Each structure stands twice: as structure tokens, then as C-alpha cells.
Amino acid sequence: MPPETALLESRTLRDSVIERTDVLDKVKILTMLPDGLHITTRMVAEYFEVGEEAVKSLAKRHREEFHSNGMHILRGADLHAFHRSTMDLWERSYPQAITQLTLYPRRAVLNVAMLLRDSDIAKRVRTYLLDVEESARSGSEAGTEQLPLEQILTERMLAGPIGSRLDAVEACLADVGSTLRELAPWMARVSARLDGMDRRLDAHGRVICAMSERLCDLGEDMTEVRRDVATLKAEAAQRRARRTKRRRG
């Protein structure tokens, strides 16, 4: 098997395995942004358990190669549009005042794994890639049918600690299924009560609308009363003025 460091030195070798991005999740689960396509520099650093500066420095030294594998930088209107459509859905905090955002698709993340020296996660990804490559080549040379990459990776995954975790997850899911079945009658009752509340709220809404219309009518009546009072006051003032004039005359 070629040494793990061969990927660090040979871009040709890196290009030959760049499509095998599913290896990333076999070594460690890669959490994506809500768009399901990209991650940020910070997320790349968290995945490989290194500082952000290590990732930025690597991207700067191999900018052309990373760009060819999908890394791109958003600025201006593109950045604002991405924030509105994607980042606003993200549950984690992120600075909204940034002027640019570097995004990595899975190919670019795998590219980082093949170039990042001081990361145990990156080393495991490289080793995994070369193990799969060697297994596929050995099977071909022996005249046997070459196993699909997904099958090889799945068998390796299930044979290790991840397989034990999957067994535990399946057991938990079985418990969840029985719990959901027990909750079904209760949820049906809750749904019926919510329907009743909706009907009562609709009735209250109609009553409030009727009261609002009545208050509007009362408002108009009060306006007319105020006009009548003003008229009566004016007439009374005129009569007083006439009486005063007659007395003086």
C-alpha cells in the first residue's frame, strides 16, 4: 500500500480519489450547513480538530487546487443572499457583520484532508482512502470482481467501533417505536382537544368582530350626539344674547 504521506506530495494521486467524499463520514461525521452542500472555515477546522489559521494557511498555499474542487468566497450581494437563504436557518451563532465567507463543498474538505499534515483526523482519512484504493486494486489484479467503494467502506465501518454504535442506535430506535405506539392514543386525544380549541377560538373571533362593529356604530352615534349638543349650546347662547339685547334696549 502506498504510504499515507503520498497524498501530501502528489496532486495526481489526490485528483484520482477526490470523488470519494463519502470517506469523510466514515472517519468522522461531517456536519453541513442547512443547504446540505457547504461548510465554513470554522467548521472545517472543527472537523479536523485544528485551528482556523491552519485551514486558512493551507487554503492560501493551495488556492488554485482548492478552487478547482469547489472552494469559493462569497462577498457583497452574494453573501447577503446566502445569509438570508441559509445562515438564518442555522441554529448556531455566526457573526452577521462579516464582509466575506469562505465555503467548502465536500470535495474541498476532502482536499484539505489530503494536504493537512498535523491532524489525526486528516491522517485517518488519507489512510482510509489508500486502504480502499489498495483493496480495489488487489481485487482487480486477482481477477475477482471489484467491490464497489460503498460496500468496502460499509464493511470496514460495521467491523469497527462504529458498527457497535449502530447496533446501539438500532436498539434505541426499537424502543422509540414502541414508545410512539403507546403515545398514539394520547396524541389523538390532544389533537381532538386542539380541534375543539380551534372551534372555540373561531367563535370568540366572530363575537369580537361583532363587538367591534357595534363599537364603531356607537362611535358614530356619539359623534352625532356631540354635534347635537354643540348645536343646542349655540342656540342657547343666541337666545341669551337676544334677551340681553332686549333688556338693554
Side-chain angles (χ1 to χ4, degrees):
M1 181 187 73
E4 168 264 332
T5 55
L7 288 168
L8 296 169
E9 309 298 334
S10 173
R11 179 170 179 178
T12 300
L13 183 56
R14 292 195 295 270
D15 290 342
S16 70
V17 295
I18 194 63
E19 298 295 339
R20 296 180 173 179
T21 57
D22 49 349
V23 172
L24 294 168
D25 288 313
K26 306 304 181 183
V27 174
K28 180 181 178 181
I29 298 300
L30 180 63
T31 302
M32 309 299 291
L33 289 173
D35 67 352
L37 300 174
H38 303 94
I39 65 174
T40 65
T41 302
R42 178 189 302 176
M43 296 169 71
V44 175
E46 290 175 352
Y47 176 83
F48 290 110
E49 300 174 5
V50 297
E52 287 187 56
E53 288 303 318
V55 178
K56 292 178 181 178
S57 176
L58 192 67
K60 184 177 181 180
R61 291 199 306 271
H62 300 273
R63 184 176 301 274
E64 186 277 329
E65 183 176 348
F66 279 17
H67 278 303
S68 69
N69 286 314
M71 186 192 79
H72 56 284
I73 301 174
L74 297 180
R75 299 183 180 88
D78 291 336
L79 176 59
H80 294 313
F82 187 78
H83 269 300
R84 288 194 301 271
S85 63
T86 300
M87 302 303 285
D88 289 345
L89 301 175
W90 204 23
E91 296 179 354
R92 301 171 61 184
S93 61
Y94 196 83
Q96 297 293 315
I98 60 172
T99 58
Q100 66 178 41
L101 179 65
T102 303
L103 295 178
Y104 296 76
R106 286 180 174 272
R107 283 167 56 100
V109 178
L110 184 58
N111 205 159
V112 173
M114 292 188 286
L115 287 167
L116 192 60
R117 293 179 180 273
D118 300 325
S119 165
D120 290 337
I121 300 298
K123 292 176 183 178
R124 287 167 57 191
V125 171
R126 292 194 293 269
T127 300
Y128 219 124
L129 277 171
L130 294 176
D131 282 348
V132 172
E133 184 74 10
E134 180 66 16
S135 297
R137 184 165 51 251
S138 298
S140 176
E141 291 174 354
T144 59
E145 181 181 356
Q146 182 174 333
L147 292 176
L149 173 64
E150 181 64 24
Q151 182 177 345
I152 295 172
L153 294 177
T154 301
E155 290 176 355
R156 289 176 177 271
M157 178 184 70
L158 295 177
I162 296 180
S164 301
R165 295 181 183 179
L166 287 176
D167 292 339
V169 170
E170 289 176 352
C172 291
L173 289 177
D175 294 337
V176 169
S178 60
T179 302
L180 289 176
R181 285 192 294 272
E182 294 173 359
L183 288 175
W186 177 81
M187 294 177 68
R189 291 194 296 271
V190 171
S191 178
R193 294 185 63 181
L194 289 175
D195 290 340
M197 291 177 65
D198 286 340
R199 290 192 293 271
R200 289 195 293 273
L201 287 174
D202 288 339
H204 291 327
R206 289 192 293 271
V207 171
I208 291 172
C209 288
M211 292 176 64
S212 178
E213 293 176 356
R214 181 55 181 159
L215 288 173
C216 290
D217 294 339
L218 289 174
E220 294 176 356
D221 293 342
M222 289 298 298
T223 301
E224 293 179 0
V225 168
R226 282 195 293 270
R227 284 199 296 265
D228 292 342
V229 170
T231 300
L232 291 173
K233 286 183 177 179
E235 292 176 352
Q238 290 175 357
R239 285 196 295 271
R240 285 195 300 270
R242 285 196 294 269
R243 285 196 299 269
T244 302
K245 185 176 181 180
R246 283 197 300 269
R247 284 198 296 269
R248 289 178 179 176

